[in-house]
Structures are given as structure tokens and as C-alpha cells.
Amino acid sequence: MNIKKHAVITTVIFALNAPVWAGEASFIAELASTTLPQQAPVVASISTSNTYFMTSAPFSANSSAAITHQPQPDPAITLPQLIEKDWWGALAEITVVLVIGELLYKTGEESMKEDFDYEIEGNTGRYFVDRIVTTESWKLDDNEVGMNWGHAYAGALYHQAFRNYNFNYYESMLGNFLTSGIWEVFAEYKEVVSINDQIVTTFGGSVLGESFFQLSEMLDTKEGWVPATFAGVFNPSKTLRGWFSDDTANRFDRQQSTDQFDIYTGALYSTKDTADISTTTMLLGVKASIDSVQGQYDALSATPSLVELDMELGISAEGIEDWQLSSSLFLGGYTQEVKPTTGSRESWGHNWFIGPSMGIEYSSLGQEDEEDFFAAINVIGLSAGGEWQNADFNISVRGDIFGDFSMVKPFASKDYQASGGQFWGTKSVLWEGGYAYGLGHTAKLTLKQATENCY
Amino acid sequence: MLLGLKVTSQRWDSIDDKEFNRSSDWNRNKSDLDFKDARDRYEVYLGLPITKTVGLSVHHERIDRSGTLTGIDNRNIYHRNDDSESRTSLRLAYRY
């Protein structure tokens, strides 16, 4: 498969365009909110051509009405602390993150020299302009997996540097994209302008950063050292600032969402048919989500309304066997909810949603030659789901389809190398890292059926 | 009781445009390879509540993996690998 220049440019244009229309919606929200009293919560109306929100009380609310269908004109809650952008705060935080990054880069510069392809010769200004406006130095780099995946975490910090100061999701993604571009063009000026770093940092980093951002605030409402530790790791800047400030106002109203934070342990037995290998591992995992799809946030225009994060570590006698991380965001869209009569077995309610979504997935299963590795950035996708429920049963179905940019260890590598094949003379990333870049898709289908009071 | 079924299907094809692949002076990309990979993952699980905050679940997964490596410059190169993995786990979860 060949990737053409216009594909890269389209990616850039998408990254630039998304925040533009998001900013317009945000502006409308700000404009609307200024016409209302500024006591929390402020209720603003956002009119968009393709979104439709319904007022919905928390699921546990006591409703005596029969099945109700209450279409209302796009209500969305905008809390006062969501409105004022703190440009200086964002600038200070992104500067600190970049300075720390530069110090780490300088510390390890000796080992980076093999990545140096360019030297500034002649006009310095012309050199940097050419790095931006021509695609001469735009390449897929050949860094090791750990370093390239690390850009997702760097992107999460970039994203939060804006998100923590009241920039919405898309504005923070734009900030992330520009920061990553500055890093690639100026900080790593001797290296290629890495296309894969830009994609992983911008899209993967924004998914991870938003998940961590929302989950961190949710975890702050939980008791115990485990949620507190995860909250600190997920949003270190907020945690650090919390040590020196009493300003702990929550951005989100937990009454408008269904939260889940599970930790689990267990045992796993796996067998591979052809390789004839069996492994027993101990599992440690986290499953967390925030569902405000039927809530009242400014969903599609500014705040992803379904956040999911799964992490699982598998440890065998040989060490770390498996590591899986996945996160996805439903950005918002068309949603509808019809509630059942509380306590009635005859009364069925339903809700459904459809709209754009994004995701990220890292999967390393097995070790050494037997390792199956891929890291996929679900750049953009479409998600749809429905749920039917009465007093006793809950049945749900959901489907997702994403367009992927991925880093993959080719599954035929083992067979190829066992028969004497080598990666010398092929893509340098295959030789240097044992993986390569690909385009493709991820499709998911989930069915669930639960009885009342199910865990 | 919770009964769930999850299916994930993934397909990837390598980016082979040499203009965008970094090539070093000492290792020119003159014998390039194209990969096509597939992962299909099927999971069924059953969850049972023990208390309001503790739950037990049983999971069974099947992962079908398939991949080909094909020579771009050297058409004689072709390798294919297929395998299936079964993963069964028992999990104890705590909900905060």
C-alpha cells in the first residue's frame, strides 16, 4: 500500500479543522452562558444541526411516570469553571512539560546520534521553514517501540496542559498538535520530522490525555489510596497543583454520569494451537469508564461523553508476559433515552446513541519470538449502541468501526526469520525495531445481558 | 448475573511508500517487504456478584492471528503464519 503526500496533508488538515468548528460551538456556548445568571450550574443551550440531547435524570432517580419521551431543545450544562480559559496557566504548564522533555532529550542525546540525519548549513531560518513547508524531511522514523509509544504519553501531558485550563477537547487536541510540531521541527531539528510521532502524539495522546483527565477527576471522588494513586498518575499536574492550592472545584457533575472503577486480579491459562505453547499467568487489571452519553454535557461540541480505559498486566514465572492497554472516547452525537416505569417488569425503557469516536490500543501478548505486538491509533471512527431495560433485565448492543494508524510486529516475522530471512535492506524500522507501520481498521461488536443487581 | 460477548476484528497493511520511510546511508531500502496482518478476537464472559463491591467472572477468549510477508522488490519472497490462541481466565474484581 502506498501512502501519498495528500494523505499526510489530509491528516494535518483534519487536525487543524476539528478544533476550528469545535471552537465555534464553544464560542456559541460561551455567548449563551453570558446571557444567564452565573451561579453554578449554568444552563446553556447549544444549537447544532446534527446533535440532539434529551434531559435525563440519573438512572436511580425515582420516576413515577410511565414510559416518557421528553424531547427538549438541546440543553447542555456549562459550569462556570468550564468557560474561562486560562491562557497563562496553559502556557506555563506546556513550557514546563517541554523543558523537562528537552532536559531528558539532552541527557540521552548520545544514544540518539544514530537518528541524526541533518545539520544546519547556511541560512538557519530557511532550514526551519523548509522543515515545515516542504515534505522533504517528513518521514516515518525507525525508533524503538518504547520510544515511539512513549509519544502517546507525551501527547497526554500536552493535551492536559490545555485541558486543565478550560480549553475544550478539540482546542486541547490542536494545542497538542502544535506542541508536537514544535518539538519535531525545533527540538529534534537534526532528525526527521516524524509523521508517526505527530499522529501518535496528536490523536493517541489526546485520547489518552482526555481519558486520564476525566478519570482523574472521577477518582478524586472515591475513597482509598488506590483511586488516589491512579488519580495522581493520570493527571500529575492537577495533583501537584492540588498540593499548593485549595481550589478543588470539580469540572464535571457526577450526577450526570455513570462511573465505574474496578481493579481485578486473577489467573489465566493460555494455549497456542500451532506453536504448541501453554502459559499460566497472574492477572492484574483496571477497568474504568465514565458514561455521560445521556447526560447534559456539551458533548459533541466540546466534551467526549463516554470514556473507557482498560489496562491488564499478565505476569508468568518468566516475567511480564502480557501488557494490554486500550482507551476509547465517544465524542458525542445523536442520543435518545426513554425511561421505563420504576419497578415495573412490563415497562421497558431504551436508549441509544450514534456518533464519531476515537481510540487507542496497545497489545503485547507473549515474550521474545512468541510476542504478538501491535499498537493501533484508532484515528477516527463511528460508534453506535442501544440498550433495553426493565426492572429485571438489561440488554445492550454496541458496534464500533475505526480507521487505524498502527505499529505492528508482522505476524509472519517468526516464520520468515526461522527460514533465514532478515530485515537488512528492508524498511529501516523493521531492521531497527522489528515492527513497521500500517494502515487498516478495527471493528468491534459487543453484546451484554444483565439481570437486576448484577455486579 | 452478567453474560457478555465481544468480537474484535482488525486488519492492517504496511505503509510501503519509500519516500516516507526513513532510509539510512548504510542500509538502503532495496529489498522491501510488505506485510498484511489480521487479528480476530472473540470473548465470552460470565460475571457473578458476590457482594455489592466484589464480583467473580469467568472469561474465555479465542484469538485468531494471521500474517503474510511478501517481497516488494524481490517477488520470490512470501511467508505466511497462522495461529490460534485460547485464553481462559478467572477474575476477582473490586469495585470502588
Side-chain angles (χ1 to χ4, degrees):
Chain A
M1 178 187 296
N2 287 331
I3 180 171
K4 301 299 181 188
K5 286 181 184 176
H6 70 257
V8 177
I9 293 167
T10 302
T11 304
V12 174
I13 290 171
F14 171 81
L16 288 168
N17 276 350
V20 172
W21 55 259
E24 290 170 354
S26 175
F27 172 74
I28 295 168
E30 288 182 33
L31 194 65
S33 67
T34 58
T35 65
L36 296 166
Q38 292 294 304
Q39 285 91 31
V42 174
V43 180
S45 294
I46 305 172
S47 295
T48 53
S49 59
N50 58 348
T51 60
Y52 175 73
F53 302 89
M54 288 195 59
T55 303
S56 62
F59 182 69
S60 58
N62 183 18
S63 169
S64 58
I67 293 176
T68 55
H69 186 194
Q70 303 169 327
Q72 292 188 7
D74 306 340
I77 288 178
T78 303
L79 299 170
Q81 60 266 42
L82 285 170
I83 295 172
E84 291 293 329
K85 292 182 180 60
D86 182 352
W87 289 86
W88 289 111
L91 183 63
E93 185 165 324
I94 200 65
T95 302
V96 169
V97 172
L98 283 174
V99 167
I100 292 172
E102 181 65 14
L103 290 173
L104 291 172
Y105 185 79
K106 288 292 181 189
T107 304
E109 191 170 16
E110 195 62 32
S111 63
M112 309 262 187
K113 285 186 175 174
E114 61 186 29
D115 296 329
F116 292 172
D117 288 337
Y118 310 104
E119 282 290 348
I120 299 176
E121 295 172 352
N123 189 325
T124 303
R126 185 75 249 169
Y127 175 82
F128 285 111
V129 169
D130 285 348
R131 277 175 72 80
I132 297 170
V133 301
T134 74
T135 57
E136 188 64 31
S137 53
W138 294 13
K139 304 285 182 188
L140 296 161
D141 72 30
D142 54 10
N143 294 147
E144 292 187 357
V145 165
M147 179 170 288
N148 273 345
W149 178 254
H151 279 269
Y153 293 99
L157 293 177
Y158 296 167
H159 182 88
Q160 290 181 355
F162 295 92
R163 201 72 170 103
N164 282 331
Y165 298 93
N166 296 340
F167 289 78
N168 72 30
Y169 175 71
Y170 305 99
E171 292 161 347
S172 300
M173 185 192 283
L174 176 62
N176 183 358
F177 172 78
L178 294 174
T179 306
S180 177
I182 289 168
W183 178 267
E184 290 294 324
V185 172
F186 296 103
E188 296 183 336
Y189 67 94
K190 292 183 178 179
E191 302 182 29
V192 300
V193 178
S194 175
I195 298 168
N196 51 287
D197 286 350
Q198 279 291 88
I199 294 171
V200 172
T201 309
T202 303
F203 297 99
S206 291
V207 171
L208 211 54
E210 182 69 18
S211 292
F212 286 173
F213 173 76
Q214 291 200 27
L215 289 170
S216 174
E217 187 173 300
M218 181 264 275
L219 291 170
D220 280 340
T221 66
K222 306 283 185 187
E223 297 290 332
W225 65 270
V226 173
T229 303
F230 275 100
V233 171
F234 285 173
N235 193 340
S237 165
K238 185 187 172 195
T239 303
L240 283 171
R241 283 181 287 114
W243 291 349
F244 303 102
S245 168
D246 293 331
D247 181 17
T248 56
N250 283 334
R251 186 180 184 85
F252 299 103
D253 178 2
R254 302 254 67 88
Q255 297 300 314
Q256 301 298 330
S257 65
T258 303
D259 301 334
Q260 179 186 353
F261 180 67
D262 295 353
I263 59 170
Y264 63 86
T265 186
L268 179 143
Y269 178 74
S270 70
T271 59
K272 291 180 180 175
D273 293 349
T274 307
D276 196 21
I277 295 171
S278 63
T279 313
T280 302
T281 56
M282 182 183 80
L283 298 178
L284 295 170
V286 169
K287 190 173 181 61
S289 65
I290 298 172
D291 181 350
S292 58
V293 170
Q294 304 296 342
Q296 296 178 321
Y297 289 114
D298 43 1
L300 186 59
S301 65
T303 308
S305 57
L306 177 58
V307 172
E308 295 170 299
L309 177 73
D310 292 282
M311 298 188 288
E312 186 177 288
L313 184 67
I315 304 168
S316 72
E318 280 72 43
I320 294 176
E321 195 75 27
D322 303 336
W323 169 238
Q324 300 176 86
L325 181 151
S326 67
S327 180
S328 65
L329 304 175
F330 174 65
L331 301 180
Y334 194 95
T335 70
Q336 191 177 59
E337 182 176 39
V338 177
K339 290 182 174 300
T341 304
T342 304
S344 169
R345 292 179 176 176
E346 284 71 38
S347 172
W348 284 79
H350 69 264
N351 64 73
W352 63 277
F353 64 89
I354 183 168
S357 52
M358 299 173 68
I360 186 170
E361 183 177 5
Y362 182 101
S363 174
S364 167
L365 302 179
Q367 294 183 333
E368 307 292 338
D369 291 345
E370 288 301 323
E371 182 193 21
D372 174 40
F373 162 78
F374 67 83
I377 307 299
N378 309 134
V379 177
I380 191 67
L382 181 70
S383 295
E387 188 175 9
W388 294 263
Q389 63 197 18
N390 70 2
D392 292 331
F393 293 101
N394 181 307
I395 300 167
S396 65
V397 60
R398 176 178 168 180
D400 309 87
I401 178 106
F402 298 101
D404 292 350
F405 174 86
S406 57
M407 299 186 283
V408 182
K409 177 186 174 187
F411 193 60
S413 295
K414 181 185 167 189
D415 183 51
Y416 175 67
Q417 290 175 310
S419 62
Q422 57 175 314
F423 292 135
W424 182 261
T426 64
K427 299 172 176 60
S428 60
V429 67
L430 270 174
W431 170 253
E432 299 285 351
Y435 71 95
Y437 303 101
L439 298 175
H441 73 266
T442 293
K444 298 179 182 177
L445 178 67
T446 307
L447 297 166
K448 279 194 280 191
Q449 188 258 306
T451 53
E452 187 188 19
N453 298 326
C454 174
Y455 177 72
Chain B
M1 189 175 75
L2 171 68
L3 179 64
L5 174 69
K6 187 174 181 181
V7 179
T8 304
S9 180
Q10 296 169 307
R11 299 287 183 275
W12 302 296
D13 189 347
S14 57
I15 299 171
D16 299 324
D17 193 326
K18 292 185 181 181
E19 183 184 350
F20 287 104
N21 278 291
R22 181 182 182 239
S23 181
S24 56
D25 292 335
W26 64 90
N27 185 10
R28 292 289 176 194
N29 183 2
K30 293 182 175 176
S31 181
D32 205 2
L33 294 169
D34 168 74
F35 79 75
K36 289 181 174 59
D37 268 38
R39 306 284 189 281
D40 291 319
R41 193 165 180 162
Y42 312 90
E43 179 183 5
V44 60
Y45 57 93
L46 185 66
L48 295 166
I50 297 174
T51 68
K52 197 173 180 182
T53 56
V54 178
L56 197 63
S57 60
V58 182
H59 301 246
H60 181 73
E61 282 181 279
R62 178 186 169 93
I63 306 174
D64 291 335
R65 303 183 177 101
S66 173
T68 60
L69 268 173
T70 310
I72 297 172
D73 302 300
N74 180 357
R75 298 281 179 177
N76 293 322
I77 297 174
Y78 179 80
H79 285 273
R80 182 185 176 97
N81 194 19
D82 299 273
D83 204 350
S84 292
E85 180 179 1
S86 294
R87 297 163 64 89
T88 304
S89 61
L90 183 66
R91 302 177 190 179
L92 184 68
Y94 181 81
R95 173 162 295 178
Y96 281 90

